[in-house]
Amino acid sequence: MGCPLGVPKYPAGPVIHFELSQALGKVSDVPDPDALIRASGLTKRFGQFTAVDGIDFELRRGEAFGFLGPNGAGKSSTMRMIGCVSPPTGGELTILGLNPVTQGAAIRARLGVVPQEDTLDVELTVRENLLVYGRYFGLSRQVIAERTARLLEFVQLSERANDHVEPLSGGMKRRLTIARSLINEPEILILDEPTTGLDPQARHVVWDRLFRLKQQGVTLILTTHYMDEAEQLCDRLVVMDGGKIAAEGSPRELIDTYSSREVLELRFSTFEHDQAAEKLTAVPADRIEVLADRVLLYVDDGDAAMAGVRGLALEPLTSLVRRSTLEDVFLRLTGRRLEDG
Amino acid sequence: MSEQPISRQTLPEQTLPARAMSGRALRQLPLRILPAPLLLARRGSLGGRGSAHLIERHARAYRHTWLVLASGFVEPLFYLLSIGVGLGELVGRVKFGGQPVGFTSFVAPALLATSAMNGAIFDSTFNIFFRLKYAKLYDAVLATPMKAGDVALGEISWALIRGGLYACAFMVVMLAMGLVHSAWAVLAIPVALLIGFAFAGAGMAATTFIRSWQDFEYVTLTTLPMFLFSTTFYPLSVYPRPIQLVVDCTPLYQGIALLRGLSLGVVGPGLLWHVLYLAVMGTAGLAVASRRIRKLLLR
Ligand SMILES: Nc1ncnc2c1ncn2[C@@H]1O[C@H](COP(=O)(O)OP(=O)(O)OP(=O)(O)O)[C@@H](O)[C@H]1O
Ligand SMILES: [Mg+2]
């Protein structure tokens, strides 16, 4: 069969592998029963290019787990492997206790997927999109009709039920895609950049719906390159860059571990910028980050640091004291900003 | 990506006691001795039940654009009226199977075969290319429990359903115009479906290799000469021997020969060759298409 994952340790369902592990006396290898997804050394190559480079993670039931990373980090490649539409090139991946290479259809039946680019059926109406998609899962028309009413209500599209998809706004299409992904009442909902390209208001509507899903106990796995989205939605996340996982933890843990309490952001006129940056090394700070247009001082007390800056007779054009964010964590870990890609 | 639910039994059984080898496990034993690729081939790689859901989807989509459906019926009818009836006045009779037959009766089954080809080709090239590259339909479908084989089989089945409807309508017209001369013609509908199957399979397989709309010129370059030269309007005997051999090998000729034989009552075991040709062509196309869809979309 040429399983690219190597020989999976437990390709069987839970009952069989339990018996097997006892027979082999390998009880310690019995996986964490709460882990819905387990990946170790997971790798995806396209020809010579390695898009996902040996990542490890576990997804626990009921949590919202995020992949934060810039363009090309390998987020979508990872989501596609989890969605069983892209066979891994190496490592191990277990989803709901099953092997995605040999049991893809059985896994997909229990997943909801919101792909990075909408794949709504533009030849059908809003309601028909849910109906047809539900039929792909083999659901009866009656079950789908019941769920459709509820789901359209949930994503605030009831009034548009009989409209075609094409004229819907970007935010509406995204919400419809989310409704569609829920038609099979999935155990895991995979969202690849759920709000990219939406205006701020539309993003907040989507966040609100995802937050409600989370409260209803749906397990979410999502990717984003917005740090605010990650902070808002994720209980736990990994920072991904260049196909690798750079750090893992809750947003709070990551900020505490990789950044200071506060950040002092200074902006100088262009010709003063480099000179000022040089002088600022005299101010006591955990770290100084010199960006093209700003200087960031990572400190415990931003106001005290600002006093120190004034003491050096430096006059920034603007100054701002703020709390550390995941953006700072990312900068620290990769030396680049998220938007830089 | 290939689905192989059986594989879950392969590992544990070697270590479990013999009593576990009873019942279901034992019945699956012969399967396990087969090499894995054979198993994969057995296991729905040519598509299964899921294909019905894709057919249902198309039926819904076409409710919104029923005019497109209607045009597929009108086109061969126009050909029949202009070439068959109009030109038939001038031509008179043609010799077929040793007997003279009216030109319209001679041309009508060929037009049925051609429309079966054109319908299948249109569905399996333009439409599938659009769904594959632009509508991202199959990306959505394959995120569900549906498989690449279901997509291929569903698409071909849909092309056949559509083609079957056209064939029925065309046969009704032929009957009404008195162009059917044999009871064998009841087989014309299944044969039209077979022609559709062959071309839909081949067309779909070809489509998975198409990169841009320009490449569709090749499709036209293949089907149009076939339509014009595969004995649609005159018997094979008008050609010199070498060209006869070439025409003899084209897929449309198989279809025309079959339908003409049935419709005019010139039937012999030789027709079975044509059936075999078309069946192999369709099956091979289906197999290639599902492999290619898997390769293109499940990267
Ligand atoms: N099918 C493919 N063939 C070749 N290379 C690919 C393919 N898919 C992705 N890649 C490459 O793999 C890398 C990771 O891509 P991926 O789409 O996973 O990134 P991403 O984190 O989702 O980025 P984005 O934020 O832009 O969506 C990119 O460099 C991309 O060009
Ligand atoms: Mg992506």
Side-chain angles (χ1 to χ4, degrees):
Chain A
M1 180 190 67
C3 173
L5 295 178
V7 178
K9 273 193 209 135
Y10 299 109
V15 176
I16 293 179
H17 78 228
F18 185 67
E19 283 173 19
L20 176 65
S21 60
Q22 283 189 328
L24 297 176
K26 272 205 208 160
V27 181
S28 62
D29 275 2
V30 173
D32 170 9
D34 277 346
L36 296 184
I37 300 178
R38 289 186 310 125
S40 73
L42 184 61
T43 302
K44 181 74 196 183
R45 271 182 229 105
F46 296 104
Q48 292 298 305
F49 180 76
T50 305
V52 178
D53 196 359
I55 61 171
D56 307 318
F57 64 89
E58 279 196 359
L59 177 72
R60 299 172 199 146
R61 194 176 289 278
E63 76 174 341
F65 186 72
F67 284 79
L68 176 67
N71 291 132
K75 305 183 297 292
S76 295
S77 304
T78 308
M79 293 309 112
R80 284 172 49 80
M81 286 191 279
I82 296 172
C84 306
V85 292
S86 168
T89 330
E92 275 189 50
L93 180 62
T94 311
I95 302 163
L96 298 164
L98 303 173
N99 178 343
V101 177
T102 55
Q103 295 161 303
I107 297 171
R108 291 196 298 273
R110 297 159 66 185
L111 299 180
V113 178
V114 175
Q116 182 165 350
E117 278 168 43
D118 284 328
T119 57
L120 293 168
D121 200 324
V122 292
E123 290 179 73
L124 302 176
T125 66
V126 167
R127 188 195 306 280
E128 286 174 331
N129 259 277
L130 297 188
L131 169 60
V132 164
Y133 201 73
R135 296 291 291 157
Y136 295 155
F137 282 90
L139 301 173
S140 76
R141 288 186 192 80
Q142 196 194 340
V143 166
I144 297 170
E146 278 165 26
R147 291 182 188 173
T148 298
R150 250 189 300 126
L151 288 171
L152 288 183
E153 189 68 30
F154 176 68
V155 297
Q156 298 166 310
L157 283 173
S158 302
E159 279 92 78
R160 310 299 297 263
N162 296 319
D163 290 0
H164 267 268
V165 165
E166 201 48 44
L168 297 184
S169 74
M172 289 176 180
K173 282 184 183 157
R174 218 53 190 147
R175 268 145 49 204
L176 178 56
T177 303
I178 292 173
R180 190 184 71 170
S181 73
L182 294 168
I183 196 80
N184 60 326
E185 303 196 328
E187 287 166 63
I188 304 172
L189 183 58
I190 302 168
L191 302 128
D192 196 355
E193 304 202 11
T195 68
T196 299
L198 302 189
D199 65 36
Q201 203 202 334
R203 291 179 70 198
H204 279 281
V205 178
V206 170
W207 285 353
D208 175 64
R209 300 296 119 168
L210 295 181
F211 194 74
R212 289 186 196 201
L213 284 177
K214 201 173 110 176
Q215 284 182 319
Q216 289 165 20
V218 178
T219 308
L220 303 180
I221 183 159
L222 64 103
T223 77
T224 178
H225 54 230
Y226 298 121
M227 49 144 191
D228 49 350
E229 185 158 284
E231 281 181 19
Q232 286 265 343
L233 292 175
C234 299
D235 302 316
R236 221 155 51 83
L237 59 100
V238 293
V239 177
M240 197 169 182
D241 186 41
K244 293 199 165 73
I245 287 178
E248 179 189 335
S250 69
R252 190 73 261 150
E253 282 166 9
L254 286 171
I255 292 168
D256 288 348
T257 312
Y258 294 100
S259 196
S260 55
R261 209 172 71 86
E262 291 188 339
V263 184
L264 174 59
E265 276 198 45
L266 302 171
R267 210 180 283 266
F268 295 93
S269 63
T270 339
F271 57 85
E272 266 182 348
H273 183 79
D274 296 339
Q275 220 183 352
E278 189 99 349
K279 282 194 192 162
L280 281 171
T281 47
V283 180
D286 293 355
R287 208 159 52 86
I288 296 182
E289 199 73 60
V290 184
L291 305 180
D293 57 342
R294 284 170 297 162
V295 181
L296 308 181
L297 278 82
Y298 289 92
V299 292
D300 254 354
D301 183 340
D303 290 326
M306 191 57 216
V309 171
R310 294 231 168 74
L312 292 170
L314 283 172
E315 272 308 320
L317 297 177
T318 62
S319 66
L320 167 76
V321 175
R322 58 168 177 82
R323 293 188 152 271
S324 275
T325 66
L326 287 173
E327 177 81 53
D328 300 300
V329 172
F330 187 81
L331 190 61
R332 164 77 188 279
L333 288 169
T334 69
R336 285 176 298 118
R337 291 160 59 198
L338 270 168
E339 307 91 82
D340 290 349
Chain B
M1 195 175 56
S2 39
E3 316 291 354
Q4 193 199 2
I6 292 174
S7 73
R8 55 188 297 202
Q9 257 85 28
T10 50
L11 222 156
E13 229 108 80
Q14 294 154 0
T15 56
L16 289 178
R19 102 190 123 75
M21 294 289 283
S22 60
R24 210 182 129 204
L26 203 60
R27 257 176 277 129
Q28 291 186 350
L29 192 61
L31 286 181
R32 234 169 295 119
I33 298 168
L34 288 176
L38 273 182
L39 265 180
L40 293 184
R42 289 180 59 110
R43 282 267 144 184
S45 62
L46 290 185
R49 258 180 308 161
S51 55
H53 304 316
L54 196 62
I55 296 171
E56 190 180 338
R57 182 261 163 210
H58 292 340
R60 277 200 171 268
Y62 275 96
R63 277 193 203 171
H64 300 293
T65 52
W66 57 269
L67 199 63
V68 178
L69 276 184
S71 72
F73 167 67
V74 176
E75 195 185 286
L77 202 60
F78 285 171
Y79 269 111
L80 185 64
L81 293 179
S82 91
I83 295 177
V85 179
L87 213 58
E89 286 292 305
L90 297 175
V91 176
R93 300 198 150 241
V94 183
K95 249 193 146 68
F96 182 74
Q99 289 168 1
V101 291
F103 184 68
T104 319
S105 301
F106 179 80
V107 168
L111 289 176
L112 176 57
T114 307
S115 84
M117 170 182 85
N118 282 338
I121 287 286
F122 187 81
D123 257 330
S124 66
T125 56
F126 286 93
N127 286 348
I128 289 178
F129 185 71
F130 177 75
R131 291 172 194 145
L132 190 64
K133 292 278 156 78
Y134 294 90
K136 305 272 175 210
L137 176 67
Y138 308 134
D139 291 270
V141 168
L142 293 175
T144 73
M146 302 254 289
K147 302 168 188 176
D150 296 330
V151 169
L153 187 63
E155 287 296 1
I156 287 181
S157 309
W158 171 252
L160 287 191
I161 290 169
R162 216 174 134 172
L165 288 177
Y166 297 154
C168 289
F170 195 83
M171 278 303 286
V172 169
V173 173
M174 277 175 70
L175 276 170
M177 291 174 66
L179 302 175
V180 175
H181 300 278
S182 157
W184 285 101
V186 294
L187 291 178
I189 302 292
V191 166
L193 289 178
L194 179 65
I195 298 169
F197 173 63
F199 281 99
M204 190 170 179
T207 303
T208 60
F209 291 94
I210 282 179
R211 294 148 301 177
S212 70
W213 293 107
Q214 266 119 27
D215 288 350
F216 282 104
E217 294 302 324
Y218 294 111
V219 176
T220 317
L221 274 176
T222 322
T223 54
L224 188 64
M226 262 202 282
F227 166 54
L228 292 174
F229 301 115
S230 296
T231 73
T232 321
F233 303 110
Y234 38 76
L236 192 60
S237 54
V238 304
Y239 289 120
R241 189 68 196 144
I243 297 188
Q244 281 186 11
L245 287 175
V246 173
V247 172
D248 211 357
C249 293
T250 66
L252 183 59
Y253 174 74
Q254 320 297 318
I256 291 177
L258 265 172
L259 284 180
R260 189 170 276 152
L262 293 172
S263 163
L264 300 178
V266 184
V267 176
L271 291 188
L272 289 175
W273 274 116
H274 304 312
V275 172
L276 184 67
Y277 180 116
L278 294 171
V280 168
M281 175 172 157
T283 311
L286 178 57
V288 171
S290 49
R291 282 175 78 111
R292 285 282 304 167
I293 288 177
R294 195 173 302 138
K295 204 173 153 201
L296 285 177
L297 296 175
L298 303 179
R299 285 170 306 176

